[in-house]
């Protein structure tokens, strides 16, 4: 039933996919009932702990390796597979179906057919089904967290946090499904009645990354389904197992066949099929700015709605009047969560000159205490980077910065654990012209920049094409308002390093994207507004 033949991608294709960040972040997970239990052939070359965890997940039914099309689990039509690796060890976890354009077109057709009935279900019914999906995610959060750590590498504690965060989007969507209100407009003529209806946009193509393999899926799929849309999910080829698990849980929740579809494998072919199809009416994507631009350009041919959550270059501004303990704690969370592999990680830490040395020493002490290791090990605060390409990028940025005068005061090299582990790093004397200040590092590197005045901080912070996340640490209420309003970013955290929540809008400005996810504002991304005019209403 399941093939274990691994598809041997050419090295150039692998490099192109990874370097272009066609590695979307996706995620979700679930426990299969006996009716859906499938035994999956695990790769034998695994460390003992990882093998035991994978075996437990497999026996419980959590590991799926086929795509989901029209409610049926499907192999790739040509039988090809692609390996999923544990980034902590580099060892194989499982072989999953490597799908392409044909499978994607069938998934689109399935979603298009299902839309006809799903869009006509009542808001109350959609709400109940989403609530059941949420309940299943929460009931099996420990197993799902293990699956995320196994294929993505983040510490188990962070994975558990991701499950709670991810499920929150499904819960919120289940509640908002019943609050999609239209409007009545007072008519300028007495014989007319004017109405505004909100209707689902249609089939949604959701392309998600590897760094939050569950949250980036639920943040898109929850509101899409709540509004009456159907979806075709394309998770990252690096972390597809969590997405497949989530899809199975949606089946168990009673969500009808064809409403949720999952295809993974050949990223360019899948992406091309999604943007070319006139049946797909919306593309929602989280990933690199370069890929987002290509998807936006491709979607123009059929004039699709587009939501893009793209790269960031988040400034973290620490003023002289900041509470030092609060600033260090917040910076640590904003910078080193998920080994620095989040789109809202503090990429530049701007510190006012009066507190610069004191802050640098305090941050150094805090970072030194961070334990690096396998995500399943006790007390680990930082896991591995996702792959070798990520390590090389971090290395190159540090090398370029030090060649121009920056000083590494901690870390700055591969960790002695080997694989793709990297030492938590702190760099001082960084300026805004260095590449590490211009590019998204996506690694555990904290570059410290010095500034003099509030105006200087705002100018440096805004000197970038990105505009997603930003952070400010100050004890001045007046300054916090001034700076928050002046920063050209979609998100501003004041005296807090972790600000994402399902009840608030998430998204960027400038080249960090279009649209918002989460909150009531995120619902509008999946709706069309229709105006209805009833005329001649004065006639008997």
């Amino acid at each position: 039933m399941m093939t274990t033949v691994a598809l041997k991608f050419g090295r150039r294709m692998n490099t192109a996919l990874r370097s272009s960040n066609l590695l979307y972040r996706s995620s979700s997970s679930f426990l299969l009932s006996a009716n859906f239990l499938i035994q999956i052939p695990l790769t034998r070359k695994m460390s003992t702990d990882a093998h035991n965890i994978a075996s437990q997940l497999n026996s419980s039914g959590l590991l799926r390796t086929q795509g989901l099309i029209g409610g049926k689990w499907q192999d790739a039509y040509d039988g090809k597979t692609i390996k999923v690796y544990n980034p902590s060890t580099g060892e194989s976890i499982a072989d999953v179906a490597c799908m392409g354009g044909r499978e994607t077109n069938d998934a689109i057709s399935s979603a298009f057919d299902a839309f006809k009935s799903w869009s006509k279900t009542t808001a109350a019914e959609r709400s109940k089904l989403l609530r059941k999906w949420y309940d299943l995610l929460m009931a099996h959060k420990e197993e799902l967290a293990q699956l995320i750590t196994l294929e993505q590498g983040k510490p188990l504690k962070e994975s558990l946090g991701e499950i709670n965060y991810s499920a929150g989007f499904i819960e919120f969507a289940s509640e908002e499904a019943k609050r999609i209100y239209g409007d009545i407009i007072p008519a300028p003529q007495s014989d007319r009645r004017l109405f505004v209806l909100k209707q689902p946009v249609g089939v949604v193509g959701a392309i998600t990354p590897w760094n939050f393999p569950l949250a980036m899926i639920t943040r898109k799929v929850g509101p899409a389904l709540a509004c009456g849309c159907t979806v075709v999910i394309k998770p990252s080829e690096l972390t597809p197992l969590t997405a497949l698990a989530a899809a199975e849980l949606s089946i168990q929740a009673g969500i009808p066949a064809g409403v949720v579809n999952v295809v993974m494998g050949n990223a360019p072919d899948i992406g091309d099929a999604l943007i070319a199809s006139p049946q797909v009416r919306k593309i929602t994507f989280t990933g690199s700015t370069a890929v987002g631009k290509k998807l936006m350009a491709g979607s123009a041919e059929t004039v699709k709605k587009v939501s893009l959550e793209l790269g960031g270059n988040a400034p973290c501004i620490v003023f002289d009047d900041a509470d030092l303990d609060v600033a260090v704690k917040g910076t640590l969370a904003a910078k080193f969560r998920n080994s620095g592999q989040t789109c809202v990680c503090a990429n530049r830490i701007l510190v006012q000159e009066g507190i610069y040395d004191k802050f640098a020493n305090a941050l150094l002490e805090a970072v030194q205490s961070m334990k690096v290791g396998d995500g399943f090990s006790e007390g680990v605060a930082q896991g591995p980077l996702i792959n070798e390409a990520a390590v090389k990028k971090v290395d190159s940025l540090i090398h370029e910065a030090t060649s121009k005068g920056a000083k590494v005061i901690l870390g700055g090299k591969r960790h002695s654990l080997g694989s793709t582990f990297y030492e938590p790093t702190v760099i001082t004397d960084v300026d805004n012209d260095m590449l590490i200040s211009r590019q998204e590092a996506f690694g555990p590197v904290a570059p410290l920049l010095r500034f003099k005045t509030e105006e200087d901080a705002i100018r440096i912070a805004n000197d970038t094409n990105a505009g997603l996340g930003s952070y400010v640490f100050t004890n001045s209420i007046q300054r916090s308002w001034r700076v928050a309003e002046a920063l050209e970013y979609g998100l501003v955290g004041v005296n807090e390093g972790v600000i994402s929540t399902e009840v608030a809008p998430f998204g960027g400005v400038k080249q960090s994207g279009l649209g918002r996810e989460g909150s009531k504002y995120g619902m509008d991304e999946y709706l069309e507004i229709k105006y209805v005019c009833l005329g001649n209403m004065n006639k008997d």
Side-chain angles (χ1 to χ4, degrees):
M1 178 174 242
M2 310 297 289
T3 178
T4 58
V5 179
L7 174 62
K8 296 182 179 178
F9 276 118
R11 291 183 179 177
R12 291 183 180 177
M13 178 60 74
N14 270 329
T15 302
L17 289 177
R18 284 163 173 76
S19 63
S20 67
N21 275 333
L22 264 171
L23 318 169
Y24 320 125
R25 308 158 213 162
S26 79
S27 140
S28 51
S29 212
F30 56 86
L31 194 60
L32 307 182
S33 66
N35 292 334
F36 295 101
L37 183 60
I38 295 178
Q39 294 299 315
I40 295 165
L42 297 173
T43 305
R44 294 182 179 178
K45 296 180 180 179
M46 299 180 69
S47 60
T48 303
D49 289 345
H51 178 78
N52 289 339
I53 292 168
S55 296
Q56 292 170 10
L57 292 170
N58 187 44
S59 62
S60 70
L62 260 178
L63 280 176
R64 284 282 188 182
T65 61
Q66 296 170 298
L68 181 63
I69 301 174
K72 297 180 181 179
W73 294 103
Q74 304 265 7
D75 289 320
Y77 294 163
D78 59 8
K80 292 180 178 178
T81 62
I82 186 170
K83 290 185 179 297
V84 180
Y85 294 95
N86 177 351
S88 288
T89 63
E91 296 168 337
S92 299
I93 303 169
D95 299 325
V96 300
C98 182
M99 296 176 157
R102 287 195 299 151
E103 294 90 344
T104 304
N105 285 328
D106 284 351
I108 292 169
S109 296
S110 171
F112 185 76
D113 291 341
F115 176 73
K116 298 168 187 175
S117 57
W118 178 250
S119 61
K120 290 180 172 58
T121 59
T122 66
E125 181 62 19
R126 294 197 298 271
S127 175
K128 290 176 183 177
L129 293 173
L130 284 167
R131 181 70 200 196
K132 289 179 182 178
W133 194 11
Y134 163 79
D135 289 339
L136 285 169
L137 289 170
M138 293 304 295
H140 304 297
K141 64 181 181 180
E142 287 81 9
E143 295 96 329
L144 300 180
Q146 288 179 331
L147 185 56
I148 289 177
T149 296
L150 190 64
E151 68 173 348
Q152 198 275 339
K154 67 179 63 176
L156 187 60
K157 184 177 180 180
E158 286 193 23
S159 295
L160 283 165
E162 181 176 344
I163 301 302
N164 291 329
Y165 175 60
S166 306
F169 286 104
I170 302 299
E171 181 183 37
F172 185 85
S174 75
E175 296 162 348
E176 285 299 299
K178 296 178 288 186
R179 304 187 184 101
I180 301 173
Y181 302 132
D183 207 353
I184 298 176
I185 301 173
Q189 292 89 9
S190 63
D191 67 338
R192 297 188 181 186
R193 301 294 182 269
L194 312 183
F195 301 89
V196 174
L197 307 179
K198 289 186 178 181
Q199 296 179 313
V201 66
V203 177
V204 175
I207 304 174
T208 60
W210 50 263
N211 59 345
F212 288 93
L214 181 58
M216 297 302 99
I217 285 181
T218 60
R219 198 161 74 180
K220 301 175 188 302
V221 176
L225 267 57
C227 291
C229 299
T230 56
V231 297
V232 177
I233 303 166
K234 190 280 171 197
S236 168
E237 63 272 20
L238 299 183
T239 56
L241 300 177
T242 307
L244 296 171
E248 170 60 30
L249 276 188
S250 75
I251 294 173
Q252 290 191 35
I255 294 173
V259 173
V260 175
N261 304 271
V262 184
V263 290
M264 65 279 175
N266 189 318
D269 286 356
I270 294 171
D272 287 347
L274 287 171
I275 62 177
S277 173
Q279 292 182 334
V280 176
R281 297 308 311 141
K282 177 181 174 64
I283 293 290
T284 174
F285 168 74
T286 298
S288 73
T289 301
V291 174
K293 289 179 178 179
K294 292 179 180 178
L295 291 170
M296 187 176 179
S299 296
E301 186 66 27
T302 51
V303 196
K304 302 184 195 305
K305 291 189 73 169
V306 177
S307 295
L308 304 172
E309 192 260 281
L310 308 177
N313 188 5
C316 178
I317 306 173
V318 181
F319 287 98
D320 285 344
D321 63 0
D323 182 306
L324 186 62
D325 291 339
V326 170
V328 170
K329 181 181 178 182
T331 302
L332 203 67
K335 173 66 259 183
F336 292 98
R337 184 168 59 109
N338 199 13
S339 301
Q341 300 174 118
T342 86
C343 53
V344 291
C345 270
N347 204 55
R348 299 167 292 157
I349 302 171
L350 284 57
V351 187
Q352 199 162 16
E353 55 186 5
I355 200 175
Y356 187 92
D357 292 335
K358 186 182 294 185
F359 177 86
N361 291 331
L363 183 66
L364 175 66
E365 184 178 346
V367 175
Q368 280 178 323
S369 67
M370 292 174 59
K371 181 179 178 181
V372 179
D374 185 290
F376 290 110
S377 299
E378 187 70 27
V380 165
Q382 181 183 300
L385 296 183
I386 191 64
N387 57 20
E388 183 64 21
V391 174
K392 289 181 177 178
K393 180 180 182 180
V394 171
D395 260 340
S396 68
L397 292 175
I398 292 174
H399 177 75
E400 194 268 350
T402 55
S403 72
K404 293 183 177 180
K407 297 180 179 63
V408 176
I409 63 173
L410 181 68
K413 62 183 185 297
R414 290 174 182 268
H415 199 280
S416 59
L417 289 170
S419 187
T420 57
F421 291 97
Y422 205 89
E423 292 186 358
T425 300
V426 180
I427 309 177
T428 59
D429 297 333
V430 175
D431 66 51
N432 208 44
D433 293 325
M434 296 175 182
L435 288 180
I436 202 164
S437 298
R438 313 305 297 178
Q439 298 180 10
E440 194 173 25
F442 240 59
V445 183
L448 304 187
L449 292 75
R450 193 186 305 261
F451 72 89
K452 291 184 179 181
T453 67
E454 181 179 311
E455 291 73 21
D456 288 337
I458 293 170
R459 174 182 53 80
I460 295 169
N462 288 339
D463 183 20
T464 174
N465 288 329
L468 188 57
S470 60
Y471 306 91
V472 179
F473 290 90
T474 176
N475 275 336
S476 168
I477 294 294
Q478 293 85 351
R479 171 175 279 159
S480 68
W481 271 105
R482 287 195 307 269
V483 176
E485 291 175 346
L487 287 173
E488 297 170 354
Y489 291 83
L491 312 169
V492 183
V494 179
N495 295 326
E496 180 56 62
V498 180
I499 62 174
S500 299
T501 169
E502 72 275 9
V503 301
F506 187 102
V509 299
K510 297 193 283 189
Q511 293 188 32
S512 283
L514 301 169
R516 293 295 182 268
E517 294 184 325
S519 80
K520 64 178 182 180
Y521 302 104
M523 302 293 288
D524 290 337
E525 301 291 335
Y526 300 91
L527 295 166
E528 295 282 16
I529 292 177
K530 179 181 288 183
Y531 157 56
V532 179
C533 173
L534 301 182
N536 292 293
M537 296 297 289
N538 291 339
K539 288 187 176 182
D540 292 334

